[in-house]
Amino acid sequence: MRLVIMGPPGAGKGTQAVMIAEEYSIPHISTGDIFRKNLKEGTPLGLKAKEYMDKGLLVPDEVVVEIVKDRLVKDDCKDGFLLDGFPRTVAQANALDHVLEDMNMGLDKVINIDVDKDVLIQRAVGRRVCAGCGATYHVRFNPSKKVGECDVCAGKVIQRDDDREETVVKRIEVYLEQTLPLIQYYKSRGLLVSINGEHEIQRVFEDITRAVGSGSE
Ligand code: AP5
Ligand code: MG
């Protein structure tokens, strides 16, 4: 199964992507996670990405496209993958089409998670992530069992630097300007499935798997 999950910041892409990747036994490729991992390791890529991420802006297309290209040729992507947070511009979507064409493959579905702006801000500002393994929590909607400690690895649970309210508002603006046109892009190719992301996490997951199917039909 070759899937893309898209939606505005805080829509629940990462939360659902972990569950979808497990359901279909495919790797979860999040460009945001790749940048955060690089930043943690202090690589030049991480430091470059931070300049944009902290302002709520997109990292330049050519940087992101190279990373995704390198990732998709890895062995574990042979039987499918789930892209989370990529593509995010029409230029990135075009580049992805070319990369997949060269590999003689195409996307099966693009999952669009739909959530109202007020809910997005609440979700992103209340989000907490594990500094160790990256597991995602929410102070109200999905808290860790022990405050400040990850359920999975007992790592420290912290707030992402770009989850301050003013940065979240900027990220939503950037999404509306640069990423929203992709809905039409994938709709016109017959790939888009839109899911109401305002239900609770398990219900959203069930709606996604129902819409995506088993991949054999
Ligand atoms: P990225 O990491 O991709 O961030 P994003 O797209 O802004 O999305 P988020 O990760 O904030 O939200 P999400 O939809 O994953 O929500 P989550 O599941 O965590 O990108 C970060 C930055 O990297 C970008 O701003 C950009 O600078 C750069 N970047 C990345 N990719 C790029 C690209 N392709 N091109 C250029 N630049 C790029 O959920 C949010 C919260 O809500 C959590 O607390 C969760 O517990 C809670 N929650 C989830 N679902 C529900 C639910 N159904 N009900 C209640 N609470 C819920
Ligand atoms: Mg995410």
Side-chain angles (χ1 to χ4, degrees), residues 21-41:
E22 195 187 345
E23 174 77 16
Y24 295 105
S25 303
I26 48 178
H28 167 207
I29 303 172
S30 155
T31 41
D33 287 351
I34 293 173
F35 292 137
R36 282 184 288 276
K37 181 168 181 283
N38 274 272
L39 182 58
K40 204 168 132 192
E41 291 165 358

Side-chain angles (χ1 to χ4, degrees), residues 6-162:
M6 60 175 286
K13 300 182 293 295
T15 302
Q16 295 298 328
V18 170
M19 299 160 83
I20 298 166
E22 195 187 345
E23 174 77 16
Y24 295 105
S25 303
I26 48 178
H28 167 207
I29 303 172
S30 155
T31 41
D33 287 351
I34 293 173
F35 292 137
R36 282 184 288 276
K37 181 168 181 283
N38 274 272
L39 182 58
K40 204 168 132 192
E41 291 165 358
T43 69
L45 171 67
L47 296 172
K48 187 178 172 77
K50 183 178 163 57
E51 285 172 35
Y52 298 92
M53 292 169 85
D54 281 356
K55 295 185 190 130
L57 301 174
L58 295 185
V59 176
D61 287 337
E62 57 278 14
V63 176
V64 195
V65 167
E66 278 312 306
I67 290 168
V68 174
K69 254 193 204 169
D70 288 349
R71 184 63 188 85
L72 289 179
V73 297
K74 298 251 162 75
D75 250 13
D76 64 340
C77 294
K78 266 203 326 254
D79 297 325
F81 51 78
L82 170 62
L83 287 168
D84 161 8
F86 181 94
R88 244 175 161 100
T89 63
V90 171
Q92 291 181 17
N94 281 319
L96 177 62
D97 283 348
H98 288 130
V99 173
L100 294 178
E101 236 171 71
D102 286 348
M103 295 166 81
N104 279 321
M105 48 176 75
L107 292 171
D108 292 305
K109 289 274 183 311
V110 174
I111 304 155
N112 174 47
I113 307 203
D114 219 2
V115 175
D116 190 70
K117 186 175 170 185
D118 293 341
V119 180
L120 294 175
I121 295 178
Q122 234 185 13
R123 283 191 187 173
V125 173
R127 171 175 36 202
R128 298 293 181 269
V129 292
C130 174
C133 72
T136 299
Y137 301 95
H138 190 282
V139 288
R140 267 180 57 206
F141 307 136
N142 185 24
S144 55
K145 293 196 182 93
K146 266 197 195 168
V147 178
E149 186 179 302
C150 178
D151 296 350
V152 182
C153 73
K156 197 172 165 202
V157 171
I158 56 163
Q159 187 173 33
R160 249 168 62 175
D161 284 344
D162 60 348

